[in-house]
Amino acid sequence: MLDVDYRWPSAARAWLDLPADVRADMVTAGAQSWQEIFDGRATYNKQWRLARPPVMDETSLGVLNAVCDRLAQLIFEACRRRAGTAGELRRLLGVPDGETRLLDDDEPLTEALLEAFRPDVLLSDGLPRVVEYNIDSSLGGAFDADTTVRRFVEVYRRRGLTDRIRLEAAPSAVDRRFAAIRSGLSLAEGARVAMLLDFDAEYPGLDDPERFIRVLAPVVERATAFGLDLVIAPVSQLTVDDRSHLVARGAPVDGVFRLFVPNRVTPSAGVDALETALAAGTVPMWVSAAAWLIANKAAFAWLWDDADDLPAVDRDLVHRYVPRTWTLTPDLLDRAVADQRDLVSKPADGSAGVDVLIGRECDADTWRDGVRRAAERGGFILQQYVRADDVPLDFVHIETGETVSADVPYSIAPYLFGREPAGACIRTGFPGCDAVLNLARGVLLSGLLVVD
């Protein structure tokens, strides 16, 4: 049963509970092996690498996964109370027709849309607060998080550290996703599945598609363990044959899953081909583009609007773990201006920190003008500011090899695929970083190390 009132230990507790000599040896091992550990991993940071991964105890991770799973259901139910189909939800959200590619307006909203989700969680005064919810197949970071933490553990194993104390990577997001894809699409053994990427998007490494595909070779190998013949394909190069079957890398595919956002994919003949095949029903996609609508941050405001009518345990879950959120409308402008230091303005369908305004980081004129434009434009939310706790981590300086300990903010993004926990992507700050944690600002990615 979900423990809503779980007493969370400090974020540093799991690390500090390890023996001091083990901690010192872990940092030394990571600092000496950082090139091996982070080879090919996504980051724009040219100065720092983690000397060790973030650590969480097994019990706390289990409670966090349970909280996140229930909140995803509550978000879906808030949408479902207001709309029965993807088209009804799209119109309610004010999303223009055609802006979300691959969307079928007539599709009923069902819990199949919860096959893949990853909330963004900040620790504030020791309490996890879910500030955004990514519900879609286009969840980045899984391979990088998996690979990084497993390389750390392998380095520890070679040095005998895992013989001295339990140090394990969290469950593999890559593996759990493949299991969910095969089950969710009811695919036969050996089914040919295309992983679709938009190589014109902003992400480290996409400027060299063939090298990026080579880096992902281990993912292709892992898929075979789950009975899938995986091909990695640029979405722009898809075609359809004379029977409207989707063709990727020279042959038809039995299913697809996408790693691009459906409202920002680069227009191309390949995207048109994918839409044709989906409309013809000749290829299933994991997951439907309607999931992207469920992830709209307006659902956070709806969740708060409905909270007092929910069962007590669900109401308390929302109040404790979700920051207060409102749809940003002109009648909220006076409150927004008066409470500037305690608020954040966000586009409801945005990501990567684009067009986000943090009240306490703006001067009064910038904040007032920004929230006014957002209210007039529509499609924005106003959310209670969540101050991220600084957590102690250890870093290695790329040029000098020096190790540095620093208290930095980090976010925890637990993956759940097919409603099963699948590790987490940890985005950490670095010495001298600012408060916004995304790749464009040099954030470092890691998986999660689990201890007793």
Side-chain angles (χ1 to χ4, degrees), residues 261-289:
V261 174
N263 72 337
R264 283 193 296 281
V265 61
T266 307
S268 68
V271 176
D272 295 341
L274 178 57
E275 283 191 327
T276 297
L278 290 172
T282 57
V283 67
M285 181 171 69
W286 189 91
V287 292
S288 159

Side-chain angles (χ1 to χ4, degrees), residues 318-338:
V318 172
H319 287 173
R320 189 172 193 211
Y321 293 105
V322 180
R324 185 68 170 94
T325 307
W326 303 263
T327 302
L328 180 50
T329 56
D331 60 354
L332 280 180
L333 282 177
D334 288 343
R335 171 187 285 182
V337 172

Side-chain angles (χ1 to χ4, degrees), residues 149-160:
V149 73
R150 276 158 179 73
R151 286 176 179 172
F152 269 115
V153 172
E154 173 58 21
V155 168
Y156 301 154
R157 186 195 64 76
R158 294 200 304 259
R159 296 184 178 223

Side-chain angles (χ1 to χ4, degrees), residues 15 24 29 90 141-142 158 176 206 227 238 240 247 259 270 273 285 327 337 343 374 432 436:
W15 169 249
R90 176 185 63 77
R158 294 200 304 259
R176 290 281 171 88
L206 291 180
L238 298 176
V240 289
V247 175
L259 288 180
M285 181 171 69
T327 302
V337 172
L343 296 172
V436 179

Side-chain angles (χ1 to χ4, degrees), residues 182-198:
R182 183 167 177 194
S183 173
L185 297 185
S186 301
L187 296 172
E189 177 79 22
R192 190 169 191 264
V193 175
M195 183 169 78
L196 305 178
L197 296 103
D198 179 6

Side-chain angles (χ1 to χ4, degrees), residues 82-98 100 103-107 109 293 296 302:
R82 291 163 170 82
T85 66
E88 290 174 4
L89 183 57
R90 176 185 63 77
R91 289 186 287 272
L92 183 63
L93 293 168
V95 176
D97 187 15
T100 302
L103 186 68
D104 176 7
D105 270 359
D106 294 327
E107 177 187 346
L109 300 180
L293 299 178
N296 191 290
W302 297 344

